[in-house]
Amino acid sequence: MLKNKYLKVIFYCFFFAISCVANAQESSSTLPLTTYLQQLEEQFNIRISFANKDTDTLTITPSTDNNLESILNYIAKKTSLTLTKLSQRYYAFSKENTISIHAKFLDNFEQNTINGATVEVLEQNIATVTDSTGYFTLNNIPKDAIIKVRFIGYKTMHFNATELNKNKPVNTFLLKQHYVQLKEVVISKFLTTGLRKSKDGSVILNTSDFGILPGLIEPDVLQTVQALPGIKSSNETVSDINVRGGTNDQNLVLWEDIKMYQSGHFFGLISAFNPYLTNSVTITKNGTSPQYGDGISSVIDMRTNNNVNDSFFGAGFNMISADAYTQVPITNKGALQFSARRSITDFLNSPTYNRYFDKTFQDSDIENNDRDTEITRREDFYFYDFTAKALYDITNKHKLRFSFIYMNNVLNYEETNANNESNFSNLDQKNTSFGGSLESKWTNKFSTKINAYRTSYNLNANEVANNQEQQLQQTNKVLENGLKVNTKYQLTDNIKLINGYQLIETGIINFTNVTQPPYKKNIKGVIRAHSIFSEIDYQTIKLKARAGARVNYIENINTFKRWIVEPRLNINYNVATNFNASLLGEFKSQTTNQIIDLEQNFLGVEKRRWILADEDELPVTTSKQLSVGFNYEKNSIYIGIEGFYKNVKGISTLTQGFQNQDQFNGEIGKYNIKGIEFLINKKNNNYSTWLSYTYNLNNYVFKDITPNTFPNNLDIRHTITFAANYNYKKFKIGVGVNYNSGKPYTEPEEGNNALDLFSFPAKINYKDPNSSRLPNYVRADISALYNFKISKKYKATLGTSILNILNKENILNRYYRVTNDNEIETVESVSLGITPNASFRINF
């Protein structure tokens, strides 16, 4: 037993000695990194730079390799340090302390995007703002940095930079609304998803989130705005939108900050702007920012996607056209966007096309010539558009953008009579525009934007009749150049200052040439407008106020020079919980208008010509508008009412579309409108239903016409819309009924007094201007969408709609003319009949 105890003690001592030797050997083979680097410098006659704070705590087992490059790479791998070879003899080791970060921010109520939230890297003097989708990205951010995200009306959030690492998928964070005493009134869902009303009274359409509206299977921009109270088209076209009783040429239509002089295809029935590439649309009826000139009735501001990192593709077709669009990132700083659309009516004679064709050409030369049964005709009609945009982020603070858009309507018509005599007509309408902008954020508080553009509009018509014995050529051309400089300064968290300068030069040509009888007319004009503007924005949780002014110096190089001052005001105040009030006001002016001088102009299809003010035959048009509104929203109920008064001066009978005894006289006058807009909207996650009512009292005042006060051509007193949409899983349906009272027109005198045969040519004797009214207008529409996935990557949508499902024949316009037999002929334009449509779309 004793011998066994001694053997155990010896055995334990032996293994303890072996362990100590092994540990001593291991300890002796591990060196401080600093010591090892110094050894390598002596061994290979090199120099290695490093920061002591990066290496003092690190140890390393020396490499058994004899190759210098292999040893240095071995050290980098073992220590996670970054190796940089400066030259053949000099090297450096450093820690990678910066990363790139990104994230997306939405509100926590309806998960709407938060555009313009400030993202600040604390203690680094680095900041940016979220884009229109709520997304931001920053590069070269310290790993240990704290990121602060804030937006007025929402609680501030803080993040560690590593939480937002760009190597991770994009995380979406919800900002919580910040309540102080009273809840902020934010109308996040308005009629349907993708529509929302801002506190400044403007309405924003986000096409990517757009739900469904009755009669629409696509988020057609200019069709969608007509769902809003106070906005409609008296002739069912997107090229003739009337906002609070104004004419279409009184709307400022902007695409990527470029003024557009053409807005429709199919001569007004379809919007010319691709709705799937148009990211957001802002519609302002009053209280416009001084940054905007022109457009005395409204501003329709369209923007495409502006985020470099986005990548998408989509394509589809309906019974009228096919289109495709895409954005492709080229580098991490640049991307390209494209879209193209073309009518498919060349080879598909669909019911939709037939209804559109009948509506468009019902009072044109094409339709009128078809009355002779012995005449054979051939028409070729098509349209197309193309857009492109280049996005380049020079740095995180400087962004460069270039945009281009081209749209075209083409009509070729030929008719041949029984004697084999042919007449030819063609019409070409196109708009070409391009522009660029540079946005710069110089500090956390100061930023600038420089924008320049050139837009060209051409409308050409040619008619050859009587075997080329008589020829008619008509041309209307617009060429405009613009430059705009904006500066923004965040004076405090609540106060922002905006200042800027804008230069617009507009030239217009109107040309007419007739061979028999010989007649030639060529009118040219150029107007140059210099404008400076300034505004101050003040915002708290209860109050949002904007006040400013725009000062214009306008010169027509041939006729006049004029100064115009335009004050603007926009106030929205939370009076009580869920209840707010608004006061909006503006002075505005515009120097371009559209006239209609002959019904047969441009084949009777596109009868309007752009002209310039000359302060003689046509003055600069000016307007004053004031409105007071009240909104209530609680849970799923929204109620809004707004009363307004608008006074517009400097109009002419030539620009208002008169079709009576005052059509060609060119009297100068004004009109004033008093109106009320009411809307009640009940909504939840699955459905939305609304009732809107608009009352307008719209009167002309012309001192040279008897009587001098009479109803406006667009005096539609009562407009009512009742509609609803419903979402169930992947299925959406929308139904609605539109009603409005008939617009005024002028009838001839009764009996034998109707026609004056003693004048040459014979002319019609009319009653008092606009003393009669058309029948009331009623139209019911329905639409449905079904969304489904083809695969994990590809999504698809099937859509169908029916316009005027009751097939009611609504009279849109009525006027009179004298025939060759000296008889009075009644000419009526009627609405679309029952018009089905269907679409299929795919995107990823």
Side-chain angles (χ1 to χ4, degrees), residues 210 212-220 223-224 782-785 801 803:
F210 185 75
I212 191 171
L213 287 174
L216 295 182
I217 50 178
E218 296 179 327
D220 187 301
Q223 291 282 7
T224 301
I782 187 171
S783 57
L785 294 173
S801 67
L803 297 175

Side-chain angles (χ1 to χ4, degrees), residues 323-372:
D323 73 282
Y325 65 95
T326 187
Q327 175 167 310
V328 182
I330 305 302
T331 67
N332 60 348
K333 290 187 175 183
L336 293 176
Q337 283 180 16
F338 297 99
S339 77
R341 174 172 48 174
R342 192 189 188 283
S343 59
I344 57 176
T345 54
D346 307 59
F347 55 87
L348 180 62
N349 192 14
S350 68
T352 313
Y353 170 74
N354 292 332
R355 296 293 185 274
Y356 278 23
F357 189 93
D358 293 342
K359 167 70 171 60
T360 301
F361 301 109
Q362 60 183 301
D363 189 29
S364 68
D365 287 354
I366 296 174
E367 184 65 23
N368 293 333
N369 290 335
D370 192 45
R371 296 171 186 170
D372 189 342

Side-chain angles (χ1 to χ4, degrees), residues 475 508-513 519-525:
T475 300
I508 295 181
I509 295 175
N510 275 295
F511 175 77
T512 302
N513 184 34
Y519 174 79
K520 191 173 184 179
K521 183 180 181 181
N522 190 20
I523 301 175
K524 299 180 181 179

Side-chain angles (χ1 to χ4, degrees), residues 206-454:
N206 188 327
T207 56
S208 61
D209 296 331
F210 185 75
I212 191 171
L213 287 174
L216 295 182
I217 50 178
E218 296 179 327
D220 187 301
V221 173
L222 299 181
Q223 291 282 7
T224 301
V225 300
Q226 296 180 48
L228 305 174
I231 303 178
K232 72 175 284 77
S233 173
S234 63
N235 61 4
E236 297 185 333
T237 68
V238 298
S239 60
D240 195 8
I241 294 176
N242 314 121
V243 180
R244 289 183 171 174
T247 53
N248 179 75
D249 56 349
Q250 294 171 355
N251 301 316
L252 174 61
V253 180
L254 297 173
W255 181 83
E256 292 292 290
D257 281 325
I258 303 172
K259 184 176 179 179
M260 308 304 298
Y261 284 89
Q262 178 182 342
S263 58
H265 283 317
F266 224 130
F267 302 106
L269 287 176
I270 302 169
S271 170
F273 308 101
N274 190 307
Y276 298 99
L277 201 57
T278 304
N279 191 55
S280 66
V281 184
T282 303
I283 304 101
T284 307
K285 295 184 286 187
N286 191 14
T288 313
S289 168
Q291 301 175 66
Y292 298 98
D294 278 339
I296 62 174
S297 281
S298 74
V299 175
I300 302 174
D301 189 4
M302 292 173 280
R303 308 280 175 160
T304 62
N305 183 71
N306 207 43
N307 185 14
V308 167
N309 296 315
D310 287 349
S311 176
F312 50 78
F313 171 82
F317 64 89
N318 54 38
M319 306 302 286
I320 295 293
S321 63
D323 73 282
Y325 65 95
T326 187
Q327 175 167 310
V328 182
I330 305 302
T331 67
N332 60 348
K333 290 187 175 183
L336 293 176
Q337 283 180 16
F338 297 99
S339 77
R341 174 172 48 174
R342 192 189 188 283
S343 59
I344 57 176
T345 54
D346 307 59
F347 55 87
L348 180 62
N349 192 14
S350 68
T352 313
Y353 170 74
N354 292 332
R355 296 293 185 274
Y356 278 23
F357 189 93
D358 293 342
K359 167 70 171 60
T360 301
F361 301 109
Q362 60 183 301
D363 189 29
S364 68
D365 287 354
I366 296 174
E367 184 65 23
N368 293 333
N369 290 335
D370 192 45
R371 296 171 186 170
D372 189 342
T373 57
E374 296 183 1
I375 289 179
T376 59
R377 70 177 189 177
R378 180 182 62 83
E379 70 272 350
D380 180 23
F381 169 71
Y382 60 93
F383 64 82
Y384 58 92
D385 60 65
F386 173 81
T387 69
K389 183 177 180 180
L391 305 87
Y392 182 68
D393 291 348
I394 303 171
T395 67
N396 291 329
K397 298 183 178 181
H398 301 278
K399 298 182 178 182
L400 189 62
R401 303 290 186 264
F402 293 100
S403 301
F404 171 81
I405 185 170
Y406 178 82
M407 56 187 76
N408 198 195
N409 285 302
V410 179
L411 171 64
N412 296 307
Y413 174 71
E414 178 183 357
E415 61 181 31
T416 305
N417 62 21
N419 298 323
N420 204 31
E421 297 174 337
S422 297
N423 296 332
F424 303 92
S425 301
N426 64 74
L427 178 66
D428 184 74
Q429 182 187 35
K430 59 186 175 183
N431 192 106
T432 307
S433 304
F434 59 89
S437 66
L438 174 63
E439 296 182 60
S440 300
K441 187 173 180 64
W442 302 100
T443 68
N444 291 340
K445 295 185 175 182
F446 181 69
S447 63
T448 61
K449 182 177 180 180
I450 301 173
N451 177 71
Y453 71 86
R454 183 182 181 91

